[in-house]
Amino acid sequence: GCSRKMENYPYPPDCDHGKRVLLEYVWIDGTGQNYRSKTKVVETEPKTPADCPVWNYDGSSTYQAMGHDSEVYITPRAIFNDPFRRGNSKLVLCDCITPAGEPLSSNTRAAAAAIFEQCKELEPWFGIEQEYTLFKDGAPLGWPRSNARSFGGPCVQLGYPGPQGPYYCGAGYDVSFGRAFSDAHLKACLYAGVTISGTNGEVMPGQWEYQVGPCVGIDSGDHLHISRYIAHRVGELMGIVVSLDPKPVPGDWNGAGCHTNFSTKPMRSPGGFKVILDAVEKLGKKHMKHVEVYGEGNERRMTGQHETSRLDEFSSGVANRGCSVRIPRFTERDDCGYFEDRRPASNMDPYVVTPLIVETCCLDA
């Protein structure tokens, strides 16, 4: 089945590429959401991104250039082990630049790296909780495929999932839909060297989560993006579509977020709780600036229901999952630690969200 496909995917025994190395260059296209990749064969295994040559592609086919001037350069920024080809093969995460060396407008990594350079001494840590929904044949896993309209739903029909409650972290054929995918993705990320720290089934049937971090600075965006790419590649093998839509099913069902946990060295040090409270106050003053870039379609998710706060109001609290920003109970107890920004949507760009949090909390006067 699905898991065997993942385990047996490496080259068949008679397909040996010798000492030559296969590099899968990965980049984000002009939509800011979709991933593109292509393979380069080189003679030696790279140890750092600088060992990988700059390459190029046809930007007119990725919404990033016009046909009369279509060449876009991809600059390697991070390398990972390739969990699909394995051996000495690598995944090479790149950002996109013009032949003149300028970042494309869709290249959000360049600006993020510049911001993180300004606060290296603060050692900003991020732990990102990526929620996603698995679809097959146009419906989430565990949901029926029907031509009947829901009329605002839910329909009363055979096979329709019951109300939310038993699915979060649930075990059983009737409540857990997609565990084989989640496990295959976890193993692939571990092989790749992604700083993945856990997985769990989520509140809506067919919805899952994994956590990336703690990562420092720009590494957080790099590791989250390559983990998303790996998820789509695992989906190819299993015939499953991975959706990052913030509200994939309308009605009385949870949406999908990308909760972003954050701390700096002062916040993690004794007495850091006051630093956290000051940072949360700064976030409140710039609430709308943040939510405007926290993911497309987030207004469908942030309604004040289903473990979300209202999009147009800022709130914070200890252990409160209905707030914009949650402070963990043990952070309050220990007088130091981290906080969780619960506003980012599942499709948020970590190269936008993580530096903005740093900028607001640490660099703004």
Side-chain angles (χ1 to χ4, degrees):
C2 294
S3 60
R4 287 198 299 275
K5 285 184 182 179
M6 187 67 198
E7 291 167 0
N8 297 333
Y9 186 75
Y11 296 104
D14 61 348
C15 187
D16 182 9
H17 52 90
K19 294 182 179 179
R20 304 189 80 187
V21 181
L22 307 185
L23 306 180
E24 191 70 15
Y25 278 53
V26 180
W27 70 94
I28 303 163
D29 72 11
T31 67
Q33 294 288 328
N34 299 327
Y35 298 95
R36 308 291 181 114
S37 70
K38 63 176 185 173
T39 305
K40 186 176 211 41
V41 181
V42 297
E43 301 300 325
T44 57
E45 181 179 351
K47 302 300 181 185
T48 69
D51 297 332
C52 303
V54 174
W55 206 8
N56 64 79
Y57 64 90
D58 171 17
S60 69
S61 298
T62 61
Y63 315 110
Q64 291 169 301
M66 301 298 290
H68 68 274
D69 187 15
S70 63
E71 199 164 280
V72 174
Y73 288 5
I74 35 180
T75 303
R77 297 301 184 189
I79 57 175
F80 300 85
N81 298 321
D82 187 335
F84 305 101
R85 289 169 170 154
R86 305 190 188 179
N88 57 8
S89 301
K90 304 293 180 185
L91 301 179
V92 182
L93 183 65
C94 306
D95 65 359
C96 305
I97 61 174
T98 67
E102 297 296 323
L104 263 63
S105 59
S106 58
N107 178 356
T108 53
R109 189 187 188 280
I115 289 175
F116 285 123
E117 275 295 315
Q118 299 178 46
C119 60
K120 292 169 69 173
E121 74 285 351
L122 295 176
E123 298 178 14
W125 287 8
F126 294 93
I128 298 180
E129 305 168 27
Q130 177 68 69
E131 294 178 342
Y132 60 94
T133 309
L134 299 175
F135 279 75
K136 190 173 182 67
D137 299 331
L141 297 191
W143 295 65
R145 289 178 287 279
S146 170
N147 293 326
R149 276 182 19 188
S150 65
F151 298 97
C155 296
V156 179
Q157 63 184 31
L158 186 65
Y160 201 95
Q164 295 184 151
Y167 309 108
Y168 173 72
C169 298
Y173 188 69
D174 55 348
V175 293
S176 179
F177 312 103
R179 188 183 301 277
F181 176 95
S182 176
D183 283 353
H185 177 251
L186 172 62
K187 292 175 184 177
C189 284
L190 289 170
Y191 183 93
V194 174
T195 307
I196 190 168
S197 49
T199 71
N200 60 269
E202 266 301 332
V203 177
M204 192 188 86
Q207 189 182 75
W208 289 80
E209 176 189 299
Y210 63 91
Q211 301 88 38
V212 171
C215 293
V216 180
I218 198 68
D219 287 350
S220 181
D222 289 345
H223 284 238
L224 186 66
H225 272 303
I226 206 68
S227 74
R228 288 175 174 177
Y229 170 79
I230 291 171
H232 290 301
R233 288 286 304 276
V234 174
E236 288 180 16
L237 298 176
M238 297 186 171
I240 290 173
V241 174
V242 181
S243 171
L244 299 184
D245 189 289
K247 187 74 173 180
V249 178
D252 194 18
W253 302 99
N254 272 36
C258 210
H259 304 152
T260 302
N261 300 277
F262 173 66
S263 71
T264 60
K265 189 174 182 179
M267 293 178 188
R268 298 187 295 269
S269 301
F273 190 60
K274 182 182 184 305
V275 183
I276 290 172
L277 293 179
D278 290 344
V280 172
E281 183 178 357
K282 291 179 179 179
L283 287 172
K285 292 178 180 177
K286 296 197 172 182
H287 173 63
M288 292 311 299
K289 178 180 179 180
H290 280 250
V291 296
E292 285 171 0
V293 296
Y294 269 18
E296 185 177 351
N298 206 17
E299 72 282 353
R300 292 183 283 116
R301 165 182 164 264
M302 290 188 64
T303 61
Q305 299 179 340
H306 306 112
E307 300 182 63
T308 68
S309 58
R310 288 180 55 87
L311 185 76
D312 58 352
E313 296 177 0
F314 182 83
S315 57
S316 63
V318 176
N320 188 343
R321 282 177 164 76
C323 282
S324 309
V325 171
R326 178 183 68 90
I327 299 173
R329 183 77 65 188
F330 59 77
T331 294
E332 180 186 50
R333 180 199 67 194
D334 298 340
D335 200 32
C336 63
Y338 69 94
F339 65 83
E340 175 193 40
D341 190 339
R342 296 181 57 82
R343 297 170 294 175
S346 50
N347 60 1
M348 68 84 155
D349 182 350
Y351 293 147
V352 172
V353 170
T354 58
L356 183 56
I357 291 174
V358 165
E359 191 174 37
T360 296
C361 295
C362 306
L363 301 180
D364 287 354

